[in-house]
Amino acid sequence: MAETAAPARAPGLGTLFPFVFAASPAVPHVPVKKFDQSTNPEGKLLRHKLTTALHHAPGHLARWPHKQSVIKASNRSKNQSHGNRIPIIASHSRPVSASASRAMAVVFAVNGERFELRDGDDPGATLLDFLRSRTRFTGPKLGCGEGACGACVVLLSTYDAAADEVSHAAATSCLTLAHGLHHRAVTTTEGLGNSRDGLHAVHARLAGFHASQCGFCTPGMCMSLAAALAGAEGKGAGPPPREGFSRLTSVEAERAVAGNLCRCTGYRPIADACKSFAADVDLEDLGLNSFWKKGDAHVSKLPPYKEGSIGAFPEFLKAEIRASLSIDRPATDMSTMTGSESSWHRPRSVEEYYKLIASDRSGTKVVAANTSSGVYREPELYDRYIDLRNIPELNSVCKDTKGVQIGAATSISQVIEILRTQGDGCKDVVFSKIADHMEKVASHFVRNTASLGGNLVMAQRDEFPSDIATILLAAGSSVCIQVSSEKLNVTLDEFLEMPPCDNKTLLLSVFIPHSTPDSVSSSAGTVNMAGDKTGSSLLFETYRAAPRPLGNAVAYLNSAFFAQVSSDGSSGGLILENLRLAFGAYGTQHAIRATDVEKCLVGKPVSASLLLEACKVLKKTIVPKEGTTHSAYRSSLAIAFLFSFLYPATKGNVKPAKAVRLNDFVASGTNGNSNSAHSVNLDVSHKETNCVKSGLYNNDHILDSCKQIVEISKDFLPVGIPTKKVGAELQASGEAVYVDDIPSPEDCLYGAFIYSTKPLAHVNSIELDPSLKQLKTVAVITVKDIPKEGANVGASTIFGPESLFGGPLTQCAGEPLGIVVAETRNFANIAAKRAVVNYSTKTLDTPILSIEEAVRRCSYFETPPFLLPQKIGEFSKGMEEADQKIYSAEVKLSSQYYFYMETQTALAVPDEDNCMVVYSSSQCPEAVQNTIAQCLGLPCHNVRVITRRVGGGFGGKAVRSLPVATACALAAFKLRRPVRMYLDRKTDMIMTGGRHPMKICYSIGFKSDGKITALHVDLFINAGMTMDISPTIPHNFIEALKKYNWGAFSYDAKICKTNFSTRSAMRGPGEVQGSYVAEAIIEHVASTLSTDAKLVRQRNIHTVESLALFHSECMEDALGYTLPSICNQLTASANYQHRLEMVQAFNKSSQWKKRGLSFATIAHKVSSRPTPGKVSILNDGSIVVEVGGIEIGQGLWTKVKQMAAFGLGQLWSDQSEDLLERVRVIQADTLSVVQGGWTAGSTTSESSCEAVRRACGIMVDRLKPLKEKLQEKQGRVSWDGLILQAKMAAVDLSAREYYIPGASGSYMNYGAAASEVEIDLLTGATTILRSDLIYDCGQSLNPAVDLGQVEGAFVQGIGYFMSEEYVTNSDGLVTSDGTWTYKIPTVDTIPRQFDVELLNSGFHKNRVLSSKASGEPPLFLAASVHCATRNAIAAARKDIHCSVSGSSSPSFFELEVPAIMPVVKEMCGLDNVEKYLKTLVGPK
């Protein structure tokens, strides 16, 4: 294997890290003439159950005659054969002949630079692998490896030489294979602009709208938006938009990032940045930004945007494409790129394809663009690839009066465009509805590449829960397949019923018939869509119920229904003449036709009794296979959708009408609703059916309106100004360096964890799969490799150490057993996943996999008494005073995964003298240093840990980052070579743990007016296998619970030791749960008293006196205790009482939608920690600041920078010297600033600021005498002059301070939120209509940063309470292990109206410049959404068809957390449709 030098990542990077790389020669940018763009997005092949894309080794850089950089082949690893794979259809592409001189090469451009792949290059490498290992462009990030997070999005551009047009499409680089990019141009965020040569408007606006926090997702956001801008420009007609704007509408702009995930911001500022490009936007409606003040918005103040600035196609590549078209291709040329170790074949006909598979051997994979590798993640290797994208039959589109035949390789995005064009041209609304539904399949950057045929083949062969198969089945589609030499046309349902396809079966095309008067017949004659004398009409609807309204989530169930109806002259009703009912994704092998139901319905007048009979038949038909989650819910969805489709057609609910398009567009329903109105040619009576239909239509905004109110304090300038976050532009442009962006040192190796899949077992042996010898694994590091001077320690807290590696006895599924070290990351991941671990459970007890079992077996961790809060009063006396009592009520709370966008990562580099340099993405570098030193048996000064920035933490990069960095360092120490680890998303989710699950039992007494007199809580906490920080959780829980005055209060807390992966701190650890339980108790009391919960909250909110009793260490005066005034203000500003009346009125009139409105509060204590700060002034007057706190997206660097400028600016009482831009905050280094401590608990920013302020005070004291002396001699003294004289006078220009908070380090945070939701009783879907928040931020150090923290925390709380289902199997192994199964909030799931106010509560001498924390407390307010959902369900349960048998009170029930769709539907009755129909039919 040839070793080659890696290219430098960025200018000057070598100065940032101990190892230095040579810079590559400068590459000029090639200007490009702009052409009109057409939408011809590249298609994509879906592949069979694979995720592994082999990493490129660093390649040679050489000069090219065109003066472009060229990457040539470097002989890398050999790929091993593993099984036969059948073809899944390739993407749409214009076939081109290769130049004779370069027939073996793949040529493409990245940001205008030329690259080549030749024989010997790994054909399985993804574009993301290539970019990050073979170029300097690291903007695209590895977030999930599944194509579902958007962190890796790039722009792919294709040049059509014949038409002289360039088309653009966003694509996921983590799935796109580099060898499939021949003659394509790739643009990453670096290709848009940079901080040196000029940022693009996309970069500058995202930064200016405060739309980047940790920044890891920001490059992908930029490219999704850039692709939307380029696409709108290509489609645009008519005059150009106004200067500074684009051709995007505001709806299109905010949907541009609908498929991208962000865990920090809460999406609102991202949507605002996107909408700033929309010509139809009112700029005054956009949120807080750095461009203008409210009331002074104008486009001229925005960074300028010009058409043609995105996706320039290199002229040299155009020339090569044109030249290649002029060379005749030999008849026998299959454009085969072969080498001694791998091959890539591009057949140009079906015949050529069959010649290739005739000689098929194991290890062959048929590919185009690889999107199926995001679905099926089995670790496999292949040594031969067949690219189908140049076969003309797979790319053709044929249209006639009967329908449209679409080549199977056509991308889903292109299919949508074809159907829309055809639907408009022939008035075929069915086509338009299919297109609407397809827009909810995956995300735009997957649809742009995923192929129509690939989706269907996965559905046929792999049981993929396809929406497309279902809707095409209902549309009466057929497919053309080739089986060896025979070509067959079969219906889609026949195709789906065939045995799973082998590699001799090739799907060529899909035929979708027109649904027009000329193309559809029935027993009643020709269907008349215009309502003529025959009285026949056509109905077509599609439905899906999924966790996200706009796609990027697999449906619980999808369905599509086609019907022809005619009028029944005798009864006046409607008769179903022809019917196709298709269902899929419910836990079935593939989509099916419900033929028994069709037989039940056809030929009969539609009535409630017939519909009830059909529902009974359907319930027997839709039976999910064993093991399917939420199976009863999925079955109920089928009935709900059939009801939605046919109920409007029952007698008295419809009347014939013309077939017209609704408002010139086809409506598209939201989650759980149909994709249009009930019928294109039936006038539905809204009076009767208004609650069956509703939804988010294609022309609807995701966000209706958002308002931010902040008060800017000028007491301590520049502190208090909403400046942009430090580094936001660098994050947007891809220049910000995260750990995995650091160039790999020479001879770098890669590590991957082997973890246990058993909860409690003896580990007899660990062996690598012998068939994977070609992976070039270097070693397997286990506990045996720890130096004898060291110890098996992977983490350590004040409560004790935790083992790095398990064994010989595993303690949980997910426990690390060792790491595989290999030459590439993908080799290491494959080898680790296919490692063979031999277990034995002889002589062992059964594992403890529940809190109940831990209690039964008394399996507990001890809680130090000093951590337990004091109890209040005597519980028994309080209960005696009560008028009513509730005993032993129970609340269960599940876990939550961090889902930081950057997974756990570290790079360890051995240094001289037995030292180690470790780059760790950690919230506590000092703890990393201590743990590594202890494991290796080294003094701490031999271990240097550097952390610049962290791509999201939320507590997960605290203790849980330590084992990753320690394992990485151990491997590097053992092998004496650099080693880096970057956990894949699945491994991270399985090993890292998350929030603590809990079981809470409470007994409470209260007066008839709602005043609570006593509360006792029994708290059981699932800590997992080790303590971590779990002993602090009871304290945190109880402190948060005490936000109300419970009268007498007592508790008992147990920390349960179980055989689950260790639970650790997650944003508001224990406090989120405690705050929520307080609200749940209030809701329980209110439902018992049949009163509004807000009144009960008001009865029990603290007075100043009771607050002092419950929180004696945080004394507040009446002015400091702002919660009562916040509640009053929120009630008034949010029109709470009026909205409550409106909700009640809505619920009385609405049958299938219900609304709820609720309130939540914060009275939360935070405590500051000791923190160091160091300020140094350099020779030129620039200022360097170091702090112990870590920038994890919370804006710590921004606040510290402002504080340093303020502190040093005190030398000038008139604030005449602006020092802000002279300050740079640099990375944390454990050998530079010691005692850095933990970045946690929301207070590290303010503590770091105070340490810096005091260090600046020291510096001011040193400089002030000199300044005064100079002033006496020369008058005014400038900063530059002062520093020059200070240097000459030998003044010490560096100062360090260690801030110790003392008794004033704890204080209370206050806030409140009111949320209104709407639930769909048919599907359980919850829409957050509005949330109003008021949060006391003191005198904010930076209102923009704090506003972002408030909004981001609230939305993360929505995820915990509403969508993030954390599932484990019977062994305790996490099965919610990726983006397919774990759903964090997206831009389409946040409140549609989202209003936030930061309250400035004024001066407070015991806080840092009167500021308050903002990182964690606002998350608790998301409980208001859950409580509002509970209220909506309670309203539904008052209706007889939603009442639940066995419930004594329809308003009292325990609503699970998270309240996902199946939970909400179950609370409203899985059989509510049948019950409703029975009320219509009446007793028999």
Side-chain angles (χ1 to χ4, degrees):
M1 180 177 60
E3 293 293 339
T4 57
R9 293 291 196 220
L13 196 60
T15 63
L16 303 179
F17 307 102
F19 41 88
V20 182
F21 294 84
S24 60
V27 180
H29 179 72
V30 182
V32 182
K33 178 182 178 182
K34 186 65 184 176
F35 295 97
D36 291 337
Q37 302 157 350
S38 63
T39 55
N40 183 24
E42 179 192 10
K44 194 155 190 174
L45 171 72
L46 300 176
R47 76 183 190 183
H48 174 60
K49 296 190 174 180
L50 264 181
T51 61
T52 306
L54 306 179
H55 222 98
H56 279 295
H60 295 289
L61 277 180
R63 301 301 291 165
W64 187 254
H66 291 282
K67 296 185 179 181
Q68 301 294 321
S69 294
V70 180
I71 288 208
K72 294 183 178 179
S74 61
N75 190 11
R76 296 302 290 175
S77 58
K78 184 177 181 180
N79 293 341
Q80 177 70 14
S81 301
H82 282 289
N84 296 328
R85 291 296 181 266
I86 74 163
I88 308 179
I89 302 309
S91 63
H92 188 84
S93 173
R94 180 181 296 274
V96 297
S97 301
S99 169
S101 62
R102 298 187 180 88
M104 306 292 288
V106 173
V107 178
F108 59 97
V110 180
N111 297 333
E113 300 178 24
R114 177 193 172 93
F115 292 93
E116 270 193 18
L117 297 173
R118 288 185 176 270
D119 57 310
D121 281 306
D122 176 13
T126 64
L127 174 58
L128 183 64
D129 289 333
F130 178 85
L131 292 171
R132 298 187 62 80
S133 64
R134 301 275 293 271
T135 80
R136 66 181 183 279
F137 306 118
T138 59
K141 311 295 185 190
L142 177 59
C144 67
E146 299 172 341
C149 74
C152 69
V153 169
V154 299
L155 185 70
L156 287 186
S157 301
T158 305
Y159 177 58
D160 185 336
D164 199 19
E165 291 180 344
V166 177
S167 59
H168 305 285
T172 53
S173 61
C174 73
L175 302 181
T176 301
L177 295 176
H179 273 71
L181 295 174
H182 187 51
H183 284 171
R184 311 279 177 170
V186 178
T187 305
T188 71
T189 190
E190 294 98 328
L192 299 180
N194 57 70
S195 58
R196 178 180 295 185
D197 302 319
L199 295 167
H200 192 275
V202 168
H203 299 148
R205 293 194 191 183
L206 259 80
F209 276 94
H210 312 293
S212 180
Q213 291 187 20
C214 87
F216 201 80
C217 72
T218 308
M221 294 284 183
C222 288
M223 293 315 298
S224 287
L225 175 56
L229 292 169
E233 181 181 336
K235 294 178 182 178
R242 291 180 293 155
E243 185 176 354
F245 293 107
S246 73
R247 297 178 188 269
L248 284 177
T249 66
S250 56
V251 172
E252 293 168 335
E254 63 184 1
R255 292 184 182 219
V257 293
N260 294 70
L261 301 184
C262 174
R263 194 56 151 166
C264 298
T265 65
Y267 298 102
R268 192 276 312 161
I270 298 174
D272 279 350
C274 294
K275 288 189 287 188
S276 74
F277 289 91
D280 62 344
V281 73
D282 184 345
L283 293 177
E284 285 292 351
D285 289 340
L286 302 183
L288 181 69
N289 61 79
S290 61
F291 306 118
W292 59 70
K293 295 180 180 179
K294 199 67 176 174
D296 194 30
H298 193 273
V299 67
S300 63
K301 298 184 178 182
L302 287 169
Y305 168 72
K306 294 183 179 180
E307 287 196 333
S309 62
I310 297 172
F313 201 91
E315 292 294 339
F316 75 85
L317 197 54
K318 288 183 180 179
E320 291 193 32
I321 293 171
R322 287 192 289 262
S324 70
L325 292 174
S326 66
I327 299 175
D328 291 332
R329 177 174 58 88
T332 58
D333 177 24
M334 296 183 188
S335 286
T336 299
M337 178 182 184
T338 60
S340 58
E341 297 183 341
S342 63
S343 62
W344 182 276
H345 302 270
R346 294 193 291 267
R348 286 177 164 78
S349 68
V350 173
E351 292 75 17
E352 287 183 2
Y353 168 75
Y354 277 103
K355 287 180 183 179
L356 286 170
I357 66 168
S359 59
D360 190 20
R361 59 182 188 269
S362 61
T364 296
K365 181 172 173 52
V366 179
V367 300
N370 204 39
T371 51
S372 69
S373 67
V375 184
Y376 303 109
R377 298 173 292 170
E378 292 181 356
E380 297 280 355
L381 287 174
Y382 299 89
D383 61 4
R384 186 171 75 150
Y385 287 75
I386 302 175
D387 183 353
L388 299 177
R389 289 180 299 168
N390 290 311
I391 300 176
E393 292 92 327
L394 301 182
N395 296 299
S396 63
V397 178
C398 301
K399 310 165 188 175
D400 59 26
T401 56
K402 294 183 178 180
V404 59
Q405 183 165 305
I406 302 173
T410 307
S411 73
I412 294 173
S413 289
Q414 191 171 5
V415 172
I416 292 171
E417 184 179 352
I418 292 168
L419 292 176
R420 288 207 189 286
T421 302
Q422 287 294 295
D424 290 342
C426 63
K427 307 297 184 183
D428 192 327
V429 184
V430 172
F431 275 19
S432 297
K433 291 181 180 180
I434 293 174
D436 284 341
H437 191 113
M438 284 186 174
E439 286 192 333
K440 295 180 177 62
V441 173
S443 58
H444 64 96
F445 43 75
V446 173
R447 293 193 298 269
N448 288 341
T449 52
S451 67
L452 172 65
N455 184 285
L456 293 179
V457 170
M458 280 205 305
Q460 195 272 350
R461 186 192 59 196
D462 303 324
E463 299 186 11
F464 177 69
S466 167
D467 279 65
I468 293 175
T470 304
I471 58 179
L472 294 185
L473 186 60
S477 303
S478 59
V479 299
C480 179
I481 60 175
Q482 181 133 350
V483 183
S484 296
S485 60
E486 185 179 6
K487 186 178 292 187
L488 302 173
N489 287 296
V490 298
T491 63
L492 181 56
D493 40 354
E494 289 173 337
F495 173 70
L496 294 173
E497 291 290 344
M498 289 170 56
C501 295
D502 60 19
N503 61 353
K504 289 184 174 60
T505 302
L506 186 63
L507 177 57
L508 300 177
S509 62
V510 178
F511 176 75
I512 308 174
H514 281 308
S515 297
T516 63
D518 297 330
S519 63
V520 181
S521 61
S522 71
S523 58
T526 302
V527 174
N528 188 338
M529 298 186 67
D532 70 2
K533 297 179 181 179
T534 64
S536 297
S537 296
L538 180 149
L539 305 176
F540 184 78
E541 302 292 353
T542 71
Y543 301 81
R544 74 191 312 265
R548 293 168 179 156
L550 294 183
N552 204 18
V554 172
Y556 290 107
L557 179 137
N558 54 48
S559 60
F561 308 138
F562 176 96
Q564 290 172 250
V565 298
S566 61
S567 299
D568 182 8
S570 59
S571 66
L574 298 175
I575 296 178
L576 296 170
E577 298 290 349
N578 188 16
L579 195 60
R580 287 193 295 268
L581 307 177
F583 298 89
Y586 61 87
T588 180
Q589 184 177 352
H590 53 71
I592 66 161
R593 287 269 303 274
T595 53
D596 288 344
V597 183
E598 293 171 4
K599 293 175 183 177
C600 173
L601 292 167
V602 169
K604 302 173 184 176
V606 182
S607 64
S609 59
L610 179 63
L611 191 50
L612 178 60
E613 182 182 353
C615 289
K616 293 177 181 178
V617 177
L618 183 59
K619 195 169 187 178
K620 297 177 182 178
T621 303
I622 305 301
V623 180
K625 64 184 178 182
E626 187 176 353
T628 301
T629 59
H630 310 298
S631 56
Y633 166 71
R634 295 172 193 261
S635 297
S636 76
L637 285 175
I639 293 172
F641 290 157
L642 183 65
F643 172 75
S644 294
F645 180 62
L646 291 180
Y647 177 69
T650 58
K651 185 178 179 180
N653 282 332
V654 297
K655 58 183 179 181
K658 281 190 174 183
V660 295
R661 290 176 65 96
L662 306 177
N663 298 325
D664 204 33
F665 72 94
V666 179
S668 176
T670 186
N671 201 16
N673 295 299
S674 72
N675 278 329
S676 68
H678 281 103
S679 172
V680 295
N681 38 15
L682 294 176
D683 182 14
V684 182
S685 170
H686 292 283
K687 180 178 180 180
E688 297 296 328
T689 63
N690 65 320
C691 298
V692 176
K693 309 296 297 182
S694 73
L696 191 67
Y697 296 105
N698 276 345
N699 65 340
D700 281 352
H701 282 280
I702 295 174
L703 303 178
D704 291 334
S705 66
C706 297
K707 180 173 63 177
Q708 305 85 45
I709 301 175
V710 300
E711 182 178 336
I712 298 173
S713 173
K714 297 183 179 181
D715 295 344
F716 311 107
L717 294 176
V719 172
I721 296 176
T723 60
K724 284 184 290 188
K725 180 182 177 295
V726 170
E729 290 99 339
L730 299 180
Q731 292 167 353
S733 64
E735 298 170 88
V737 178
Y738 298 82
V739 171
D740 198 51
D741 297 334
I742 300 171
S744 293
E746 186 177 359
D747 295 327
C748 187
L749 299 170
Y750 299 80
F753 277 111
I754 300 171
Y755 54 81
S756 171
T757 57
K758 301 293 182 182
L760 187 65
H762 296 291
V763 177
N764 297 329
S765 65
I766 302 175
E767 301 173 355
L768 296 184
D769 188 334
S771 67
L772 299 177
K773 293 180 180 179
Q774 79 278 19
L775 288 182
K776 294 183 175 64
T777 53
V778 175
V780 177
I781 306 296
T782 66
V783 66
K784 298 176 183 178
D785 296 295
I786 295 175
K788 62 181 180 180
E789 300 86 1
N792 184 18
V793 176
S796 185
T797 67
I798 61 172
F799 305 112
E802 174 185 318
S803 296
L804 175 61
F805 296 129
L809 183 67
T810 67
Q811 296 296 316
C812 76
E815 182 179 18
L817 304 178
I819 60 172
V820 177
V821 181
E823 295 286 349
T824 73
R825 175 177 297 147
N826 288 299
F827 285 177
N829 285 336
I830 292 171
K833 283 178 170 54
R834 294 182 58 173
V836 179
V837 181
N838 295 308
Y839 301 96
S840 172
T841 56
K842 291 182 179 179
T843 73
L844 295 176
D845 288 337
T846 57
I848 299 174
L849 294 175
S850 69
I851 287 176
E852 290 76 9
E853 183 64 13
V855 172
R856 189 183 71 81
R857 290 161 63 170
C858 297
S859 178
Y860 302 124
F861 290 116
E862 184 178 352
T863 304
F866 75 90
L867 285 175
L868 295 176
Q870 292 294 316
K871 300 175 183 179
I872 309 296
E874 295 185 24
F875 174 71
S876 58
K877 289 185 178 180
M879 291 297 277
E880 290 175 0
E881 297 172 7
D883 297 327
Q884 297 191 48
K885 304 176 182 67
I886 299 171
Y887 289 101
S888 301
E890 188 175 286
V891 176
K892 288 186 177 181
L893 299 172
S894 183
S895 188
Q896 182 184 22
Y897 170 62
Y898 305 99
F899 216 104
Y900 27 60
M901 294 303 296
E902 173 201 46
T903 60
Q904 302 282 0
T905 181
L907 167 62
V909 184
D911 204 354
E912 65 180 17
D913 197 21
N914 217 25
C915 292
M916 185 71 63
V917 180
V918 179
Y919 302 90
S920 174
S921 180
S922 175
Q923 295 175 232
C924 45
E926 180 188 10
V928 173
Q929 178 189 45
N930 295 338
T931 305
I932 291 174
Q934 190 175 356
C935 178
L936 301 184
L938 298 174
C940 282
H941 65 221
N942 279 34
V943 180
R944 180 185 182 193
V945 179
I946 298 172
T947 301
R948 173 172 297 180
R949 57 173 58 84
V950 173
F954 318 114
K957 299 284 181 66
V959 180
R960 302 327 305 161
S961 71
L962 307 187
V964 179
T966 305
C968 196
L970 173 61
F973 189 81
K974 167 76 174 177
L975 301 174
R976 305 187 183 189
R977 292 174 63 178
V979 175
R980 72 190 316 158
M981 296 182 70
Y982 186 79
L983 270 57
D984 64 83
R985 182 62 67 179
K986 179 176 181 178
T987 300
D988 196 284
M989 296 189 75
I990 287 173
M991 288 182 53
T992 307
R995 197 178 294 284
H996 289 75
M998 295 182 182
K999 177 181 177 181
I1000 302 97
C1001 298
Y1002 61 88
S1003 297
I1004 189 167
F1006 48 94
K1007 297 283 190 178
S1008 297
D1009 63 357
K1011 178 62 179 174
I1012 295 170
T1013 59
L1015 173 67
H1016 176 81
V1017 171
D1018 290 307
L1019 173 63
F1020 303 93
I1021 300 163
N1022 186 342
M1025 68 172 184
T1026 64
M1027 278 197 292
D1028 198 281
I1029 55 86
S1030 295
T1032 67
I1033 299 300
H1035 170 274
N1036 295 352
F1037 179 95
I1038 296 302
E1039 288 296 325
L1041 184 69
K1042 293 194 298 184
K1043 66 180 180 179
Y1044 291 115
N1045 180 1
W1046 304 113
F1049 174 67
S1050 64
Y1051 67 90
D1052 184 52
K1054 301 289 186 184
I1055 303 174
C1056 300
K1057 180 180 181 181
T1058 63
N1059 295 112
F1060 285 104
S1061 56
T1062 297
R1063 305 294 131 172
S1064 190
M1066 182 175 180
R1067 201 172 194 171
E1071 299 148 339
V1072 174
Q1073 297 96 319
S1075 184
Y1076 166 74
V1077 169
E1079 302 297 346
I1081 292 171
I1082 293 291
E1083 296 276 341
H1084 194 171
V1085 171
S1087 66
T1088 302
L1089 295 173
S1090 299
T1091 188
D1092 182 12
K1094 181 175 175 289
L1095 299 177
V1096 179
R1097 288 185 177 90
Q1098 289 175 337
R1099 291 280 186 187
N1100 296 285
I1101 196 170
H1102 280 296
T1103 62
V1104 174
E1105 294 74 22
S1106 66
L1107 184 71
L1109 178 64
F1110 277 72
H1111 296 282
S1112 57
E1113 67 279 19
C1114 300
M1115 300 297 292
E1116 291 275 23
D1117 57 22
L1119 290 177
Y1121 180 43
T1122 57
L1123 182 58
S1125 62
I1126 286 175
C1127 292
N1128 292 336
Q1129 181 180 341
L1130 183 63
T1131 300
S1133 63
N1135 298 315
Y1136 184 88
Q1137 192 59 40
H1138 174 69
R1139 286 169 58 198
L1140 183 62
E1141 294 170 359
M1142 294 291 290
V1143 165
Q1144 293 168 346
F1146 176 88
N1147 290 340
K1148 288 180 180 179
S1149 63
S1150 175
Q1151 198 159 47
W1152 297 106
K1153 302 279 186 179
K1154 298 293 181 182
R1155 292 182 179 177
L1157 175 65
S1158 194
F1159 209 84
T1161 65
I1162 303 171
H1164 173 64
K1165 182 182 77 173
V1166 297
S1167 300
S1168 300
R1169 294 182 177 86
T1171 308
K1174 180 180 177 182
V1175 179
S1176 303
I1177 304 173
L1178 306 183
N1179 291 341
D1180 64 348
S1182 59
I1183 303 159
V1184 174
V1185 179
E1186 297 175 78
V1187 291
I1190 304 301
E1191 176 59 60
I1192 57 177
Q1194 83 282 46
L1196 182 147
W1197 280 8
T1198 308
K1199 292 181 177 179
V1200 165
K1201 180 177 179 177
Q1202 291 174 272
M1203 185 64 80
F1206 163 74
L1208 293 175
Q1210 297 305 295
L1211 282 164
W1212 284 266
S1213 58
D1214 59 356
Q1215 298 180 347
S1216 59
E1217 287 287 327
D1218 183 3
L1219 303 179
L1220 187 64
E1221 295 309 314
R1222 293 179 180 262
V1223 180
R1224 177 179 292 277
V1225 187
I1226 64 173
Q1227 61 197 17
D1229 186 333
T1230 57
L1231 296 188
S1232 178
V1233 175
V1234 300
Q1235 296 176 282
W1238 301 76
T1239 299
S1242 302
T1243 57
T1244 309
S1245 292
E1246 63 197 61
S1247 296
S1248 297
C1249 283
E1250 182 63 12
V1252 167
R1253 187 181 72 86
R1254 295 186 180 195
C1256 289
I1258 295 172
M1259 196 75 71
V1260 167
D1261 290 341
R1262 293 175 187 169
L1263 292 171
K1264 193 170 185 178
L1266 177 61
K1267 176 178 176 288
E1268 292 173 349
K1269 187 176 180 180
L1270 292 172
Q1271 278 180 323
E1272 291 177 1
K1273 292 182 178 180
Q1274 63 188 52
R1276 189 181 184 283
V1277 180
S1278 68
W1279 173 259
D1280 291 331
L1282 177 62
I1283 299 307
L1284 177 62
Q1285 293 297 320
K1287 178 187 174 185
M1288 296 175 65
V1291 175
D1292 184 358
L1293 294 179
S1294 183
R1296 183 187 186 277
E1297 176 69 17
Y1298 190 61
Y1299 166 58
I1300 303 175
S1304 63
S1306 296
Y1307 59 86
M1308 300 296 293
N1309 287 80
Y1310 307 110
S1315 292
E1316 182 179 350
V1317 306
E1318 181 177 280
I1319 64 172
D1320 185 331
L1321 308 192
L1322 296 175
T1323 66
T1326 301
T1327 301
I1328 308 173
L1329 301 176
R1330 179 175 174 180
S1331 288
D1332 296 84
L1333 283 68
I1334 299 179
Y1335 184 72
D1336 180 358
C1337 222
Q1339 288 190 205
S1340 172
L1341 299 178
N1342 185 310
V1345 167
D1346 288 329
L1347 179 69
Q1349 289 291 286
V1350 171
E1351 292 180 335
F1354 186 81
V1355 171
Q1356 191 172 101
I1358 289 173
Y1360 177 58
F1361 290 115
M1362 301 302 296
S1363 69
E1364 296 178 35
E1365 186 181 20
Y1366 192 96
V1367 182
T1368 59
N1369 66 12
S1370 59
D1371 284 327
L1373 185 69
V1374 175
T1375 55
S1376 299
D1377 57 5
T1379 55
W1380 285 87
T1381 50
Y1382 193 83
K1383 298 301 180 183
I1384 70 171
T1386 45
V1387 70
D1388 53 335
T1389 58
I1390 68 173
R1392 298 191 65 174
Q1393 182 174 342
F1394 196 6
D1395 297 343
V1396 180
E1397 178 178 353
L1398 295 186
L1399 178 69
N1400 185 339
S1401 56
F1403 175 75
H1404 197 297
K1405 64 180 180 180
N1406 290 331
R1407 299 196 300 268
V1408 178
L1409 298 189
S1410 301
S1411 66
K1412 284 191 172 187
S1414 60
E1416 292 174 306
L1419 191 150
F1420 315 159
L1421 295 177
S1424 62
V1425 176
H1426 190 272
C1427 292
T1429 304
R1430 186 204 310 266
N1431 291 346
I1433 295 171
R1437 288 158 68 101
K1438 293 177 182 178
D1439 294 344
I1440 187 169
H1441 60 282
C1442 290
S1443 61
V1444 178
S1445 59
S1447 175
S1448 58
S1449 170
S1451 61
F1452 173 67
F1453 50 91
E1454 184 55 43
L1455 181 61
E1456 292 181 22
V1457 172
I1460 57 174
M1461 293 172 66
V1463 169
V1464 173
K1465 176 65 188 290
E1466 184 175 359
M1467 290 293 99
C1468 297
L1470 296 177
D1471 58 350
N1472 54 13
V1473 168
E1474 297 99 304
K1475 285 185 175 180
Y1476 175 71
L1477 290 173
K1478 287 178 181 177
T1479 63
L1480 298 181
V1481 173
K1484 292 186 177 180

